Amino acid sequence: MSSSQQSIEVRIEGYRDVWVYCEHEDGKLTRPTTEVIAGARKVADKVGMDVVGVLIGYNLGDLVREPIYYGADKVIYCDDPRLKDYQVLPYTTVLSDMVMQLKPWALLFVTSEIGKDLGPRVAYRTRTGLAADVIDLVVEDFVMNLPTGRYVYKDCIAQVRPDFATRIAKIFTPKHRPQISSVRPGNFTPLPRDESRRGEIVRWEPRFDEDDFQVEVLETVRVPKSEVKLEEAKVVISLGLGVLRDASGRPRNPREAYELAKQLADLIREKFGVETEIGASRALIYAELKELEGLITKDRQVGQTGKTIAPDVYIALGISGALQHRVGMQRSKKIIAVNVDPNAPIFQIAHYGYVGDLYEFLPKAIEILRSM
Amino acid sequence: MTKAVPARTTRVVTVGGVLRREEMDLVINPLDFKALQAADYAKRYNGGKLIAVSMGPDFKVKPLLSELYSHPIEGVDEAIVLSDRRMAGADTWATAYTLSLGVKKALDLNRGAVEEVLELVESGASGEKVLERARELYHANLLPNLVYTEKPGLPEGVVQRYAKGRATVEEVREALLKVRTELERFLIVAGLKTSDGETGSTGPQTAEALSDALGRKIPDITHVVDFEVDAESGTLVAVRKTGSYLQRLRSPLPCVITIMPDYRAGVTPVLRRKRAALYSYRGKVREVRVWNADDIGADPSKIGLAGSPTIVGPGIDIGGPPVQKFVGRTRVFTQRVEAFEFNGKTYGPFERFAKADDLPEELVRELEAKGLVKRFDLRDLLEEVFGGVLVAAKH
């Protein structure tokens, strides 16, 4: 027997609990934060650890209890006037100090502007790994076959994330702790809020360096909330540059395509009682067509630089399906692609294909659905 | 900072979870062009130089960086690729560490040139000797027009005037110290994320790594939608998105920013052009510098696979290409058909709308003749999609 077949069990000792960095806005935890608490609960229960909510800010008040109501066992909070607004340097200092002193086993962030800034910095400073955009967390052993033996790292978190077009990858941080992830919204269901839940609440006293406050917040402005709810819609009908011409090459009024798509969306909403929404490709939005002014707006963009969605049905009308678009919609349950070009890349990932133009597809589809 | 990413994600070569960049067609990460545009804007506003830094196998990355020199918009002056076998398989931690050392070396190189001239002048070297060295350094793209220039339309550099006795040692020193101060006020711009890793972590982690390398905390601002940077005062004012809010921040330089894809560079005010020209360099060093781990003084245990805390487990296929039906082309069953025998083989059972294309042609014809198989039409499509999925959703 060669020594390479020997199994060597490795356990990283001295680290406990699953921490969740809790984002809050206007005195409330954000919804994705409550989702991540549910995700943390899942792995913590598996390994018999606690879920700890970490809150940083100023005048937190009763907010410090909220993580417990949503399923955490414990809260550590840091309340300081200098932490009123999110700023990467002092927040990194506070959170890294907590991590280095209290040694959590895992630390989860929301995939958001803050989670994608603070998470990486804390991971770097505490010399550990970070898996971004995680969609699931599973506890499993990580096996590494080396010439010196078969190493089994016990009870690691497999941090599941999408990997290129049609694969998922499991990211492991076998030798370093905490295991840090940012979790994409929409993958865990928040636990019901329960005010009868109790848990320990601990205050953390921060220690800053002088150069933590180099950056000054000059102004904070609320972005007007968009009425477009692409992420929540069950059926999304998206338009691309195919609105410009029909199959014969004749120029068409894009407004007509929009009206037809809207008719179809309304019809589906009425008939099946589900939310529908109109989306668009980046190309169409950036074309800034006069006819679509105020209708096809930036908040409707689906794709890498727009929204990532996974509705039950996605209808791509006149969208060729560049990679940047596909990453934003390829997880849709049913994809219907309508395009005049049979070689358009969108057909590679579509469940249903219609080779033809949208000016022919839409009226026919509306007529058939009416009769159904 | 820019990265070479696979040109097509359908042809990705990985071995044990590590991308084999050397075996794939690579392109510049699409979102990095926004970063280049932003950096170019900062340069047009302030002068200075735009250096493209990348990590990856040099024979693949060099040609891509070379192309940047002839890119119509972006004024890339120099390109550096950090390339070493030991750097392969790096996660964002190890990448940030490596990049930060590359940045530090570039900074040292430029600062070294300025300090060399400063020492020459202060040691009382002849005007001719200072001039000669300054000319060499100017041609190596290491001194700005303010110090030495051969550009028509610009005033003579301070060293040139010094050599002719028209500038004092004090004036030369003042100019060189100003250039050195501004070298320390650099801006690092990165795209929001790459199209392969898609983590968006390398920007903020490079700021953290650079803090280690330079011994002081370097801030970062991610998701920047707009910014102005002023080398004169050494400040950056940036607008970034956080949740439902936009923050306007003022940061000292150096700072690392990541640029949102919808950023659009502004027009440089005419008033800034003269200053920008004086602080600019000869530009367009055609050759791409290649530095390995030893060149940048990297700790081998912190680079590449060895320095990466994360390990990518085996990828799992989820679905691959879906079962596809094309209107007017795909042949499908018109109703449920129980299992049956044909030419001694058993087929089925088949559900309504099951694809019949993969059955023997002879059999399909027979089924078609019986009306059990037909071409998939739009009504079938809508019925299958909305009849099943959504009626369930309604109840």
Side-chain angles (χ1 to χ4, degrees):
Chain A
M1 292 291 277
S2 81
S3 65
S4 68
Q5 283 167 341
Q6 222 176 308
S7 262
I8 303 155
E9 262 192 29
V10 188
R11 272 178 201 279
I12 313 283
E13 303 286 353
Y15 296 85
R16 267 203 76 79
D17 298 340
V18 180
W19 286 16
V20 176
Y21 175 75
C22 298
E23 286 188 28
H24 50 97
E25 248 180 40
D26 311 323
K28 283 189 194 144
L29 298 183
T30 63
R31 184 192 150 95
T33 295
T34 60
E35 293 173 11
V36 178
I37 293 173
R41 191 77 266 167
K42 178 183 156 188
V43 283
D45 288 345
K46 197 94 186 164
V47 289
M49 294 187 190
D50 284 345
V51 172
V52 179
V54 179
L55 276 161
I56 300 178
Y58 179 50
N59 271 339
L60 293 171
D62 286 341
L63 185 64
V64 298
R65 288 176 220 288
E66 289 295 322
I68 292 174
Y69 297 160
Y70 278 101
D73 302 295
K74 191 177 162 182
V75 166
I76 302 171
Y77 74 98
C78 184
D79 195 307
D80 189 289
R82 287 167 295 182
L83 298 170
K84 184 173 157 283
D85 295 297
Y86 168 73
Q87 282 193 63
V88 71
L89 290 177
Y91 273 56
T92 302
T93 295
V94 170
L95 192 52
S96 301
D97 285 351
M98 286 180 182
V99 165
M100 287 186 276
Q101 204 169 315
L102 302 173
K103 300 187 185 314
W105 178 72
L107 168 59
L108 311 179
F109 291 87
V110 173
T111 292
S112 69
E113 289 89 359
I114 291 175
K116 298 209 99 174
D117 188 20
L118 186 58
R121 283 201 79 134
V122 170
Y124 194 93
R125 198 173 293 178
T126 59
R127 185 60 177 118
T128 188
L130 169 87
D133 299 305
V134 163
I135 55 171
D136 198 8
L137 300 157
V138 185
V139 176
E140 44 183 79
D141 296 343
F142 177 69
V143 181
M144 203 161 34
N145 288 306
L146 293 177
T148 49
R150 183 174 179 272
Y151 290 82
V152 181
Y153 291 86
K154 298 300 286 180
D155 292 342
C156 291
I157 305 180
Q159 304 160 100
V160 183
R161 72 185 301 258
D163 180 32
F164 295 108
T166 56
R167 294 195 316 167
I168 56 168
K170 289 179 176 177
I171 312 285
F172 292 89
T173 306
K175 298 181 215 170
H176 299 73
R177 296 288 178 273
Q179 305 164 82
I180 301 184
S181 324
S182 72
V183 181
R184 264 196 199 172
N187 288 292
F188 292 100
T189 310
L191 301 165
R193 187 173 178 277
D194 176 0
E195 285 195 29
S196 69
R197 279 182 58 91
R198 293 285 173 268
E200 192 187 351
I201 295 172
V202 182
R203 187 184 172 109
W204 175 268
E205 291 306 327
R207 286 182 56 184
F208 297 111
D209 294 331
E210 235 168 78
D211 54 2
D212 279 330
F213 297 99
Q214 304 174 45
V215 180
E216 211 183 320
V217 179
L218 302 174
E219 191 183 9
T220 306
V221 192
R222 184 178 263 286
V223 187
K225 274 224 167 79
S226 167
E227 294 298 307
V228 179
K229 296 200 162 63
L230 273 180
E231 293 99 327
E232 288 163 35
K234 292 274 181 216
V235 179
V236 173
I237 302 172
S238 276
L239 295 165
L241 281 181
V243 300
L244 291 174
R245 285 167 201 284
D246 61 23
S248 66
R250 193 162 60 97
R252 297 291 287 253
N253 182 354
R255 182 66 183 255
E256 194 189 332
Y258 176 82
E259 297 297 347
L260 284 167
K262 188 89 181 59
Q263 256 186 57
L264 179 63
D266 291 344
L267 182 61
I268 293 169
R269 184 188 303 126
E270 279 164 36
K271 219 169 160 74
F272 304 106
V274 294
E275 282 311 311
T276 58
E277 197 54 270
I278 303 286
S281 72
R282 182 179 190 276
L284 183 62
I285 286 164
Y286 280 75
E288 293 182 346
L289 302 175
K290 215 169 52 248
E291 297 87 343
L292 298 177
E293 209 182 317
L295 300 172
I296 296 297
T297 42
K298 180 87 188 51
D299 48 5
R300 295 192 185 276
Q301 188 186 331
V302 175
Q304 188 176 43
T305 58
K307 300 213 166 95
T308 301
I309 54 171
D312 287 345
V313 182
Y314 186 85
I315 308 180
L317 301 170
I319 294 175
S320 64
L323 174 70
Q324 286 77 358
H325 186 76
R326 299 200 314 259
V327 296
M329 44 62 77
Q330 64 194 1
R331 286 160 56 79
S332 307
K333 290 184 193 73
K334 295 280 176 207
I335 297 167
I336 304 173
V338 178
N339 206 296
V340 288
D341 174 9
N343 297 317
I346 191 79
F347 286 123
Q348 291 166 18
I349 58 160
H351 303 84
Y352 299 97
Y354 184 97
V355 180
D357 73 48
L358 57 98
Y359 289 99
E360 163 192 310
F361 172 86
L362 282 169
K364 275 200 215 165
I366 291 166
E367 194 197 315
I368 294 169
L369 273 178
R370 278 217 179 98
S371 71
M372 262 166 71
Chain B
M1 300 199 294
T2 180
K3 184 181 186 186
V5 297
R8 294 181 296 274
T9 51
T10 46
R11 287 200 50 209
V12 174
V13 186
T14 68
V15 172
V18 176
L19 272 187
R20 302 286 295 218
R21 270 170 224 284
E22 57 274 31
E23 290 171 28
M24 291 182 288
D25 289 341
L26 300 180
V27 294
I28 294 278
N29 174 45
L31 293 187
D32 290 351
F33 285 103
K34 277 291 168 190
L36 285 165
Q37 244 176 55
D40 182 53
Y41 173 72
K43 182 187 139 183
R44 277 187 281 120
Y45 195 88
N46 292 289
K49 70 166 93 161
L50 203 175
I51 309 180
V53 186
S54 189
M55 183 181 90
D58 59 337
F59 70 96
K60 280 285 192 182
V61 181
K62 260 173 98 169
L64 293 175
L65 293 187
S66 295
E67 275 172 35
L68 291 179
Y69 289 130
S70 47
H71 201 275
I73 329 162
E74 287 88 9
V76 174
D77 293 303
E78 288 176 30
I80 299 167
V81 50
L82 308 173
S83 176
D84 197 308
R85 275 182 168 213
R86 291 170 290 175
M87 293 174 190
D91 71 358
T92 61
W93 200 103
T95 303
Y97 172 76
T98 311
L99 286 171
S100 74
L101 294 182
V103 170
K104 181 170 185 289
K105 185 177 163 83
L107 184 65
D108 289 346
L109 197 68
N110 282 277
R111 196 174 35 204
V114 176
E115 280 168 359
E116 192 191 327
V117 179
L118 194 61
E119 272 166 36
L120 263 182
V121 175
E122 288 186 336
S123 70
S126 69
E128 201 44 51
K129 204 169 169 206
V130 179
L131 186 68
E132 193 187 323
R133 187 62 187 136
R135 182 187 299 124
E136 281 167 23
L137 291 169
Y138 168 79
H139 282 277
N141 216 37
L142 291 168
L143 287 181
N145 296 321
L146 181 74
V147 180
Y148 181 97
T149 190
E150 290 175 6
K151 288 231 165 104
L154 283 182
E156 279 186 318
V158 69
V159 166
Q160 288 156 304
R161 283 186 281 125
Y162 175 69
K164 290 179 184 165
R166 294 213 305 266
T168 62
V169 173
E170 207 36 61
E171 282 173 274
V172 179
R173 184 189 293 129
E174 197 187 319
L176 288 168
L177 287 176
K178 184 124 195 282
V179 171
R180 194 178 68 174
T181 307
E182 293 206 2
L183 277 174
E184 310 262 354
R185 293 174 176 166
F186 58 92
L187 176 69
I188 296 182
V189 192
L192 184 66
K193 56 185 179 181
T194 59
S195 63
D196 54 354
E198 281 213 51
T199 68
S201 300
T202 306
Q205 290 198 318
T206 302
E208 194 64 28
L210 206 56
S211 307
D212 283 354
L214 301 182
R216 63 196 156 123
K217 281 186 180 156
I218 309 292
D220 73 83
I221 305 176
T222 59
H223 300 82
V224 167
V225 288
D226 198 11
F227 75 98
E228 293 294 343
V229 62
D230 181 23
E232 200 81 41
S233 62
T235 55
L236 164 84
V237 173
V239 179
R240 73 163 319 216
K241 205 177 155 271
T242 47
S244 316
Y245 293 91
L246 284 178
Q247 276 187 333
R248 205 157 63 88
L249 303 163
R250 179 163 54 212
S251 167
L253 295 172
C255 184
V256 179
I257 60 175
T258 68
I259 289 284
M260 286 289 274
D262 47 3
Y263 165 80
R264 284 185 187 190
V267 177
T268 326
V270 179
L271 280 172
R272 300 288 304 198
R273 288 188 192 156
K274 191 178 159 208
R275 189 214 125 85
L278 286 179
Y279 284 85
S280 288
Y281 291 71
R282 192 167 150 267
K284 308 264 178 202
V285 177
R286 292 281 155 183
E287 166 206 0
V288 176
R289 285 204 179 93
V290 180
W291 290 340
N292 66 23
D294 301 325
D295 294 333
I296 57 171
D299 175 347
S301 73
K302 291 182 175 173
I303 58 172
L305 199 54
S308 300
T310 59
I311 297 180
V312 182
I316 302 160
D317 285 321
I318 41 162
V323 175
Q324 294 191 306
K325 291 174 200 170
F326 280 82
V327 168
R329 199 171 347 137
T330 308
R331 288 165 303 183
V332 296
F333 282 85
T334 56
Q335 60 187 76
R336 188 183 151 86
V337 174
E338 295 305 326
F340 60 90
E341 272 195 22
F342 181 80
N343 285 349
K345 270 182 83 177
T346 309
Y347 294 91
F350 296 98
E351 295 299 329
R352 187 176 178 212
F353 296 138
K355 225 169 148 172
D357 284 348
D358 303 330
L359 301 175
E361 198 51 39
E362 199 188 334
L363 170 59
V364 176
R365 291 233 184 81
E366 204 179 298
L367 290 165
E368 267 179 321
K370 287 186 189 158
L372 294 173
V373 164
K374 64 158 194 150
R375 300 266 166 188
F376 191 62
D377 66 22
L378 187 54
R379 176 173 289 272
D380 298 334
L381 188 163
L382 295 169
E383 207 169 301
E384 191 176 20
V385 171
F386 292 103
V389 182
L390 291 177
V391 173
K394 193 177 177 180
H395 299 297

